[in-house]
Amino acid sequence: MNAAPTECPESTPESVRPTEEELARQRAAITALGHELRALVDATVRTVAPAETLLRAADGVRRLTGQLTGRRRARAEIPAVDEFPGGVRMYSPVTGVGSPLAPPMRVTPDGNGVVGRCTLGIAHEGPPGYGHGGMSAMLLDELMGWACASAGTPGMTVSLQVRYHRPVPLETPLLVHARVTGTEGRKIFVDGSISTEDDQSVTIVTADGVFVAPDPARTRALFPDARRTS
């Protein structure tokens, strides 16, 4: 979707936007930090260390957090390292390589839709050894949105119906598929599924959703800081 930017204190004027080299360096640093934070989260939810060790670790993390000084972006501010709409989202909780929460899922075109590849870790656990059902819904919702954009009809989720056929195993490479099945006015109908890479013939979660393409005025209201892409 295309949304015209508006002038606001948090916006970065085009004349001082980062260069491509600066963006690449910043994204590389964000990726490296995200990787280490995910490793820390994994160690945190796995450890059986005694309380004294955990308290020392908490003090160390507090000191590290104190190093992230300077201005912090506002709630609706689009990071300079992102391409919104329709591009890189460094801090997405699903695909963002800078997010300590993300798997992160890698998305590529796949025939008439898109495919995502990721592995859920212990931090995403619901029942012991299996992913939380909400994680499956989040993976599907994200990828179904990508499918809309890939089909040239970007939209936002109106409804999402998820059916869990089997539990989703942790620490197992997953394949997530999504494709647009039809449109009706501004409504976009999308199907999605999750399987494991080792046994793609067995679908463990399926979903169908309805997305809607906001009109330009609504888009500008929702995302006033979005950068013009055309």
Side-chain angles (χ1 to χ4, degrees):
M1 80 194 97
N2 293 329
T6 59
E7 294 297 326
C8 67
E10 302 298 346
S11 296
T12 304
E14 288 292 341
S15 60
V16 295
R17 288 204 189 283
T19 65
E20 288 302 316
E21 182 178 352
E22 290 169 337
L23 275 177
R25 185 167 181 268
Q26 188 71 9
R27 286 171 177 163
I30 290 169
T31 299
L33 179 58
H35 175 79
E36 297 304 329
L37 288 175
R38 286 189 293 276
L40 175 62
V41 169
D42 184 71
T44 299
V45 299
R46 286 177 179 273
T47 186
V48 291
E52 294 77 9
T53 300
L54 298 179
L55 290 171
R56 285 197 301 273
D59 286 339
V61 172
R62 188 178 302 111
R63 288 193 293 272
L64 288 174
T65 301
Q67 295 182 30
L68 300 179
T69 58
R71 188 183 75 83
R72 298 192 178 194
R73 64 184 173 96
R75 178 182 64 85
E77 181 182 353
I78 299 169
V81 291
D82 279 7
E83 296 171 356
F84 181 84
V88 175
R89 302 296 306 281
M90 294 296 292
Y91 300 109
S92 162
V94 181
T95 61
V97 292
S99 170
L101 309 175
M105 183 166 65
R106 303 178 308 281
V107 182
T108 55
D110 179 50
N112 63 346
V114 289
V115 61
R117 290 176 170 83
C118 67
T119 300
L120 297 181
I122 301 298
H124 307 123
E125 188 174 58
Y130 297 97
H132 192 288
M135 287 301 305
S136 297
M138 187 163 67
L139 293 176
L140 286 161
D141 181 54
E142 174 77 7
L143 196 67
M144 291 161 81
W146 278 73
C148 291
S150 179
T153 53
M156 300 178 68
T157 315
V158 172
S159 68
L160 181 68
Q161 183 174 2
V162 182
R163 291 168 294 280
Y164 301 89
H165 306 284
R166 300 186 181 191
V168 177
L170 298 177
E171 300 184 320
T172 302
L174 302 174
L175 286 178
V176 189
H177 287 92
R179 65 187 181 94
V180 171
T181 59
T183 60
E184 182 183 302
R186 292 193 294 114
K187 289 183 179 179
I188 309 148
F189 303 95
V190 194
D191 283 348
S193 65
I194 300 176
S195 62
T196 65
E197 283 201 25
D198 287 342
D199 193 355
Q200 300 178 31
S201 65
V202 177
T203 301
I204 50 183
V205 184
T206 57
D208 57 78
V210 180
F211 289 64
V212 65
D215 60 49
R218 180 62 173 160
T219 299
R220 286 191 293 271
L222 286 171
F223 310 113
D225 200 29
R227 297 193 252 287
R228 191 183 298 276
T229 58
S230 64

